[in-house]
Amino acid sequence: RPVPQTGRRLSEAARLGFQRALLPAGQEVPHPSDGEIEVVPVSTVKDALRWALPRRLPAAPQSHPPD
């Protein structure tokens, strides 16, 4: 779902020292962040977790057909 006041939030995040922001794919960024912060579009929570927690997520369990 869209994030309100995106430009303002990105500027504040950059001011606080964040280097990357994950936003819903298709979200418009009204004002370029002037390279202050990297904006990463994500489509699913799974994508967001992969960016936020690299190499920390266990592999998905394999499903086995019932006997």
Side-chain angles (χ1 to χ4, degrees):
R1 100 184 132 176
V3 177
Q5 300 179 16
T6 308
R8 185 176 186 185
R9 290 173 188 252
L10 290 173
S11 294
E12 182 66 12
R15 187 184 73 75
L16 292 171
F18 288 90
Q19 298 174 345
R20 181 179 298 133
L22 307 177
L23 291 177
Q27 172 79 39
E28 286 189 36
V29 180
H31 303 287
S33 59
D34 299 326
E36 297 174 348
I37 192 166
E38 177 187 3
V39 176
V40 178
V42 294
S43 299
T44 65
V45 172
K46 187 176 183 178
D47 290 344
L49 289 174
R50 283 186 178 147
W51 272 98
L53 307 171
R55 296 187 204 106
R56 294 184 191 170
L57 292 179
Q62 299 295 320
S63 60
H64 299 284
D67 291 331

